[in-house]
Amino acid sequence: MSEYIEARFEVLDERFSGVGGDGLVERLCTGCRWTEGPVYFAAGRYLLFSDIPNDRLLRWDETTGAVGVFRAPAGYTNGHTVDRRGRLVSCEQGHRRVARTEHDGSVTVLAERWNGRRLNSPNDVVERADGSVWFTDPSYGIDSHYEGHRAESEIGACHVYRVDPATGEVRAVAQDFDRPNGLAFSADEQCLYVADTRRKHIRLFDVADDGALSGGEVFATCDAGSFDGLRLDALGRVWAAAHDGVHCFDADGTPLGKLLLPEVVSNLVFGGPKRNHLFITASSSVYALRVNFNGVAYPR
């Protein structure tokens, strides 16, 4: 049975004053240890999300409201995305790899090493229209046994990577992060936003046709804990998970407002047929709110 809490929007800039939606936020699920990686499958009308310490991937059915186990054990999966062919792409912290689940249920490994060395623990992932897969690789899954398997880093640093769609080459595209985490492309995929959890900010890069990054200036800083997952809406605003809820920034970096929640937010995704159903993973729970704006539509 779903529970509801008041939807609390905090306005920091007058441009945010019209942002809203349902008066109540629905809690779809609770009782987890640390929820992450929400990903919405439009074709099946369901949401998948990770419960990392319990090593399981859960599924919420939009048509029935039921929540069940989709996969367990799940390799301590963290972030996910759906590629242009409708396949699940997952960051498996326990297996220290990025993997794709094919339509027949088989699993294809997309990345597990860089320069011959094992990755740390891939965290979040997105796909570009050219088929390249981009992911962050902090050390959370190897720091302890809580979200993976404790181990020494073979790389000795935490980078952002790109997997070439033609060759499968894993290339480090940014090597000056402390703990890279959430990442998201602009609507035209010419810019990439990446959160650095330890530095408590979001950086903005320009993306060349070959995937090379330039720039990397600080786009926004966090005033409540640190940033985690990122998403963009159709107006180019950046929505970032933080400790007190979801923070919204204008494309120029101005803080516009917040959606306040009672738990530490880890990630978010826009779903539904109109991309106006906002799903949020936060500590032990998953929340949902129908909003009066839409998630970004990327090139196909």
Side-chain angles (χ1 to χ4, degrees):
M1 181 70 67
S2 295
E3 301 176 16
Y4 296 87
I5 61 173
E6 179 186 1
R8 297 171 56 213
F9 286 94
E10 178 182 341
V11 177
L12 302 176
D13 185 286
E14 62 179 11
R15 289 172 288 179
F16 195 72
S17 58
V19 172
D22 288 340
L24 297 175
V25 177
E26 183 179 8
R27 186 157 70 174
L28 304 178
C29 172
T30 193
C32 300
R33 281 197 161 87
W34 178 246
T35 61
E36 250 286 9
V39 59
Y40 181 81
F41 282 81
R45 294 184 63 187
Y46 62 86
L47 181 83
L48 296 182
F49 58 95
S50 301
D51 180 9
I52 303 177
N54 286 323
D55 193 15
R56 59 182 183 170
L57 187 55
L58 300 177
R59 178 183 185 272
W60 172 77
D61 189 314
E62 185 176 7
T63 63
T64 66
V67 176
V69 175
F70 179 82
R71 181 180 294 166
Y76 293 94
T77 54
N78 193 325
H80 307 273
T81 193
V82 183
D83 72 8
R84 263 62 172 191
R85 294 177 60 184
R87 299 171 296 186
L88 174 68
V89 179
S90 304
C91 291
E92 300 179 353
Q93 293 187 159
H95 297 141
R96 300 169 69 171
R97 70 187 188 184
V98 178
R100 183 179 65 219
T101 301
E102 308 295 345
H103 292 301
D104 63 1
S106 61
V107 174
T108 300
V109 177
L110 302 180
E112 57 184 346
R113 293 181 181 272
W114 175 66
N115 288 347
R117 291 169 286 180
R118 292 189 72 186
L119 298 171
N120 297 320
S121 57
N123 184 281
D124 210 352
V125 59
V126 291
E127 185 201 35
R128 206 175 181 213
D130 63 2
S132 57
V133 172
W134 301 62
F135 66 95
T136 55
D137 187 42
S139 61
Y140 301 123
I142 60 173
D143 287 342
S144 71
H145 291 295
Y146 188 71
E147 291 190 9
H149 307 290
R150 184 179 179 86
E152 294 296 321
S153 172
E154 296 185 12
I155 296 172
C158 303
H159 302 327
V160 181
Y161 295 93
R162 175 186 183 270
V163 183
D164 187 272
T167 67
E169 176 196 10
V170 179
R171 178 173 50 151
V173 292
Q175 301 185 44
D176 58 346
F177 280 82
D178 279 353
R179 292 293 184 272
N181 201 310
L183 72 173
F185 284 110
S186 59
D188 60 6
E189 299 185 328
Q190 300 303 302
C191 296
L192 179 68
Y193 299 86
V194 187
D196 191 320
T197 302
R198 179 167 289 179
R199 298 180 185 176
K200 302 182 180 182
H201 62 213
I202 300 168
R203 295 171 63 189
L204 175 59
F205 295 87
D206 293 318
V207 186
D209 290 342
D210 65 354
L213 298 183
S214 59
E217 295 79 9
V218 172
F219 169 77
T221 57
C222 190
D223 65 1
S226 56
F227 290 129
D228 203 324
L230 306 175
R231 291 293 186 272
L232 268 70
D233 66 23
L235 297 178
R237 296 176 298 203
V238 178
W239 294 78
H243 286 198
D244 60 349
V246 184
H247 296 195
C248 179
F249 297 89
D250 189 75
D252 64 10
T254 303
L256 298 179
K258 302 179 181 182
L259 170 60
L260 301 174
L261 289 169
E263 299 184 78
V264 174
V265 175
S266 63
N267 217 327
L268 62 147
V269 71
F270 291 98
K274 298 180 179 180
R275 303 182 308 281
N276 66 341
H277 204 169
L278 180 59
F279 297 98
I280 301 166
T281 50
S283 300
S284 65
S285 306
V286 178
Y287 297 90
L289 178 68
R290 195 69 58 88
V291 293
N292 62 358
F293 53 95
N294 310 86
V296 63
Y298 287 109
R300 303 302 295 181

